[in-house]
């Protein structure tokens, strides 16, 4: 301000001066003053910039401190949320366990309810034979192409036929236990099924004595459970005991005796004792032919089993005879489209393959495939050909 006032007075002085020399001196002074004023203004400007920068840095630092405080708060909140999440996960896990337990209890209650319904609904004529589900000979060998494990088709009617001619009724308590054992065994829960059978056996032997058909029924069921566990010696012992009881109480030509003989033959077959199994299977066949007639489907099932035992011993002439006879029974009684017809043809074709009779096997396999094709598509034409025709065309 002082510089500006001096400069202003000098400018006024220049206007009043008349001499050129004096005016030049005043001009020099005024120029010096202008430069000095410009330097001062420049310094002031720089100082203002520095002040503004300092203020800005202070604001940034305060913002930084504020953000650090927020970060600390967020970390604390994050840790709290993690603790809450861990607690919630534990609660969820406990809830899921509770739900799983409740679902198991619900399934068990529903199953028990179904058992009660079965006890109320099933008539005595349908429950004459206690092992009606397990005592059938069907699919007791796996259906494989191996020498030591050839198979049979899986059916259920032989057990029903045997049950209808069992000759005695099963008490409601035994029927319920039988259903429970079958259910647990199908689920692989043998640790539950075996004690149930043993408890039922103890109760039956106390009330009815050892030589009672119901005892034989429970022995047969327990033997089949042991068989599923590969405990073949224990199963064989129980089946022999059941066979002895049934022969005493029901007679040697009873369907239940045939079913036990068949189960025993299958057990020997699983252990590779085909020679011991064959006479048992033949005796079961004789009983079924005598009781049911030679053209009954259950006779055909027994013929399938017998053929498999002979096949494992290399008796192919007998194998062909048994399979052909079973095939005739199935086709005449059940019709050409019955699944048992295709399964028996398949077994017979497998026998032909083992003997090197490839053309005979090929004919049977083509018949099976063509029948399946017709059942699926209705006819054989240029647009719908069995798969073996496509294979031959591609081969050509």
């Amino acid at each position: 301000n002082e510089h500006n006032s001096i400069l202003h007075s000098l400018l006024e002085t220049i206007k009043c001066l008349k001499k050129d020399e004096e005016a030049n001196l005043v001009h020099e002074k005024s120029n010096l003053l202008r430069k000095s004023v410009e330097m001062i203004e420049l310094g002031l400007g720089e100082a203002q910039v520095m002040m503004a920068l300092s203020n800005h840095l202070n604001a940034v630092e305060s913002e930084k401190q504020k953000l650090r405080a927020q970060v600390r708060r967020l970390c604390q909140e994050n840790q709290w949320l993690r603790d809450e999440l861990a607690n919630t996960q534990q609660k969820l896990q406990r809830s899921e366990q509770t739900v799983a337990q409740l679902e198991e209890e619900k399934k068990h209650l529903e199953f028990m309810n179904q058992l009660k319904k079965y006890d109320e609904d099933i008539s005595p004529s349908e429950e004459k034979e206690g092992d009606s589900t397990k005592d059938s000979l069907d699919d007791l060998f796996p259906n494989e192409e191996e020498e030591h494990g050839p198979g049979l088709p899986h059916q259920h009617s032989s057990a029903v036929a045997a049950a209808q001619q069992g000759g005695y009724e099963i008490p409601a308590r035994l029927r319920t236990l039988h259903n429970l054992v079958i259910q647990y065994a199908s689920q692989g829960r043998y640790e539950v099924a075996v004690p149930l059978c043993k408890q039922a056996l103890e109760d039956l032997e106390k009330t009815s004595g050892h030589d009672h058909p119901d005892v034989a029924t429970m022995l047969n069921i327990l033997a089949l459970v042991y068989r599923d566990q590969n405990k073949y010696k224990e199963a064989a012992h129980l089946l022999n005991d059941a066979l002895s009881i049934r022969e005493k109480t029901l007679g040697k030509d009873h369907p239940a005796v045939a079913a036990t003989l068949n189960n025993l033959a299958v057990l020997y077959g699983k252990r590779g004792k085909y020679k011991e199994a064959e006479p048992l299977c033949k005796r079961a066949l004789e009983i079924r032919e005598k009781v049911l007639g030679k053209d009954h489907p259950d006779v055909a099932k027994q013929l399938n089993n017998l053929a498999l035992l002979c096949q494992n011993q290399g008796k192919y002439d007998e194998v062909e005879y048994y399979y052909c006879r079973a095939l005739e029974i199935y086709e005449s009684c059940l019709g050409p489209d019955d699944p048992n017809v295709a399964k028996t043809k398949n077994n017979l074709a497998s026998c032909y393959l083992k003997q090197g009779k490839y053309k005979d096997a090929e004919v049977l396999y083509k018949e099976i495939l063509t029948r399946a094709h017709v059942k699926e598509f209705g006819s054989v034409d240029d647009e719908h050909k069995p798969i073996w025709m496509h294979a031959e065309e591609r081969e050509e």
Side-chain angles (χ1 to χ4, degrees), residues 102-114:
L102 290 173
E103 286 180 350
E104 285 297 321
E105 291 177 3
K106 180 184 175 185
K107 288 179 181 177
H108 180 68
L109 291 173
E110 289 177 349
F111 173 66
M112 294 300 293
N113 190 35
Q114 289 176 355

Side-chain angles (χ1 to χ4, degrees), residues 62-307:
S62 63
E63 187 70 20
K64 181 180 176 183
Q65 294 298 330
K66 189 189 299 182
L67 289 174
R68 281 181 177 172
Q70 289 181 354
V71 166
R72 285 194 295 273
R73 180 174 57 81
L74 289 173
C75 288
Q76 292 174 352
E77 290 181 358
N78 184 36
Q79 186 60 40
W80 177 76
L81 288 173
R82 285 179 183 274
D83 295 339
E84 286 292 313
L85 178 61
N87 292 332
T88 305
Q89 286 176 337
Q90 290 177 355
K91 291 179 182 178
L92 176 61
Q93 189 174 4
R94 288 195 293 269
S95 299
E96 288 177 345
Q97 291 175 352
T98 305
V99 169
Q101 291 175 355
L102 290 173
E103 286 180 350
E104 285 297 321
E105 291 177 3
K106 180 184 175 185
K107 288 179 181 177
H108 180 68
L109 291 173
E110 289 177 349
F111 173 66
M112 294 300 293
N113 190 35
Q114 289 176 355
L115 288 183
K116 290 180 182 178
K117 183 181 70 174
Y118 293 151
D119 290 344
E120 294 170 0
D121 293 346
I122 295 178
S123 63
S125 64
E126 294 173 329
E127 282 292 340
K128 296 289 179 71
E129 174 64 32
D131 44 348
S132 60
T133 305
K134 286 274 190 174
D135 207 19
S136 61
L137 57 94
D138 333 316
D139 211 10
L140 296 172
F141 294 120
N143 193 6
E144 297 170 350
E145 290 285 336
E146 301 172 357
E147 281 293 324
H148 300 291
L152 286 178
H154 186 71
Q155 294 117 33
H156 299 279
S157 59
S158 65
V160 177
Q164 290 173 348
Q165 303 179 42
Y168 59 92
E169 293 185 11
I170 298 174
R173 176 175 59 85
L174 180 57
R175 191 161 61 239
T176 302
L177 276 170
H178 167 258
N179 292 336
L180 277 172
V181 170
I182 298 305
Q183 176 72 14
Y184 287 130
S186 65
Q187 296 172 355
R189 298 175 64 182
Y190 301 111
E191 73 283 357
V192 181
V194 172
L196 276 175
C197 285
K198 290 182 176 179
Q199 184 62 48
L201 274 173
E202 289 182 14
D203 294 344
L204 286 169
E205 288 179 344
K206 286 179 182 178
T207 57
S208 305
H210 182 70
D211 293 334
H212 191 275
D214 290 351
V215 174
T217 295
M218 289 309 301
L219 285 170
N220 196 81
I221 296 171
L222 181 57
L224 294 175
V225 174
Y226 278 148
R227 187 200 67 198
D228 291 343
Q229 296 177 277
N230 298 325
K231 296 180 179 180
Y232 297 129
K233 288 184 179 180
E234 296 92 332
H237 176 71
L238 293 174
L239 285 173
N240 279 310
D241 196 5
L243 179 63
S244 176
I245 294 172
R246 283 179 168 171
E247 286 179 336
K248 288 179 185 177
T249 57
L250 303 176
K252 294 189 176 183
D253 293 334
H254 194 275
V257 174
T260 311
L261 285 166
N262 179 74
N263 285 339
L264 198 54
V266 168
L267 195 64
Y268 286 145
K270 284 182 176 290
R271 299 173 66 185
K273 297 182 177 181
Y274 305 115
K275 290 183 179 179
E276 293 89 338
E278 185 181 348
L280 296 172
C281 203
K282 284 183 176 179
R283 188 181 159 203
L285 176 63
E286 290 174 2
I287 294 173
R288 285 182 166 156
E289 286 180 336
K290 184 175 181 180
V291 176
L292 305 173
K294 293 191 175 184
D295 294 330
H296 195 278
D298 289 351
V299 174
K301 295 174 195 173
Q302 196 70 55
L303 286 165
N304 263 301
N305 265 4
L306 187 54

Side-chain angles (χ1 to χ4, degrees), residues 3 6-11 14 23-37:
H3 277 69
I6 294 170
L7 181 60
H8 182 70
S9 64
L10 284 175
L11 292 175
I14 289 173
N24 289 334
L25 289 173
V26 174
H27 278 298
E28 288 180 1
K29 287 181 179 180
S30 65
N31 289 333
L32 289 172
L33 280 172
R34 282 194 182 96
K35 290 180 180 179
S36 180
V37 168

Side-chain angles (χ1 to χ4, degrees), residues 340-359:
N340 292 304
V341 173
K343 291 173 184 176
T344 307
K345 283 185 178 181
N346 191 71
N347 288 343
L348 181 56
S350 175
C351 171
Y352 285 148
L353 283 178
K354 291 179 184 295
Q355 298 178 78
K357 298 180 179 180
Y358 301 115
K359 290 186 178 180

